[in-house]
Amino acid sequence: MTIAVRNATADAGKLDDKLESRALDQLFREARTHNGWLDVAVPDALLAEAVDLAKLGPTAANSSPLRIVFVRSPEAKQRLKPTLAPGNVDKTMAAPVTAILAYDRKFYEHLPRLFPHADARSWFAGNEAFADDSAYRNGTLQAAYFILALRAVGLDAGPMGGFDAAKVDAEFFPGGQVKSNILVNIGYGDASKLYPRSPRFAFEEIASIV
């Protein structure tokens, strides 16, 4: 009885766990996709903190296929530049850091460590199509966590898809095991270069409760 009462009290407390409005503004309501950047360096410690937050989000069988290369040095930026769509060159070269978010197609080799209570490796090994689909899906999910994690630690993000993935892979992930997915420019955004926020769907247009 004591345990049941304690659990009921804990569950009731969860009803009061909604984030305060300021936090919701930072993560969602006032957060924007930035294309212009202030000339302010991004500390490595903040990048590491964002990764440590993002990796806690759920993935299937704790598969954790996300792999990241942070492109910061002028030399690395020049390696990335030829892979970019024309409209993404200037903003990417100006960003303090660009993250190449990729996924490991052989993520399942780590499942004995990451998901030790079941033989999850056997679910994917030998089934390349299933493994690739799972790697892409869960890597994309982790990319979304990462963008929110950047916002949570006070950074701005400019995710984009305008790049030649084959060229990025050849330059940064030779061998074919890791595949690029999304690029994210990272820094402190220049709000003066933002457009007005574009419209969003109403709840009734995209969701239903059945």
Side-chain angles (χ1 to χ4, degrees), residues 141-157:
L141 187 62
Q142 287 191 288
Y145 299 148
F146 179 67
I147 292 168
L148 291 177
L150 291 172
R151 294 173 174 179
V153 301
L155 294 168
D156 291 308

Side-chain angles (χ1 to χ4, degrees), residues 59-104:
T59 54
N62 196 31
S63 53
S64 306
L66 178 68
R67 304 292 181 264
I68 306 174
V69 172
F70 290 107
V71 179
R72 182 199 291 280
S73 69
E75 295 78 14
K77 285 290 190 79
Q78 288 305 308
R79 291 169 59 197
L80 182 62
K81 185 176 181 179
T83 74
L84 300 171
N88 287 336
V89 172
D90 290 345
K91 62 184 177 183
T92 303
M93 294 300 102
V97 182
T98 301
I100 305 172
L101 305 187
Y103 56 92
D104 185 354

Side-chain angles (χ1 to χ4, degrees), residues 73-142:
S73 69
E75 295 78 14
K77 285 290 190 79
Q78 288 305 308
R79 291 169 59 197
L80 182 62
K81 185 176 181 179
T83 74
L84 300 171
N88 287 336
V89 172
D90 290 345
K91 62 184 177 183
T92 303
M93 294 300 102
V97 182
T98 301
I100 305 172
L101 305 187
Y103 56 92
D104 185 354
R105 299 174 62 227
K106 295 292 182 67
F107 67 90
Y108 50 82
E109 296 296 352
H110 302 281
L111 291 181
R113 170 189 170 196
L114 299 177
F115 203 71
H117 49 282
D119 181 18
R121 181 186 180 279
S122 66
W123 305 344
F124 302 97
N127 190 341
E128 185 173 329
F130 181 46
D132 283 353
D133 181 68
S134 297
Y136 175 72
R137 180 184 300 110
N138 288 283
T140 303
L141 187 62
Q142 287 191 288

Side-chain angles (χ1 to χ4, degrees), residues 49-66:
E49 188 175 354
V51 171
D52 283 341
L53 288 172
K55 72 185 182 185
L56 297 175
T59 54
N62 196 31
S63 53
S64 306
L66 178 68

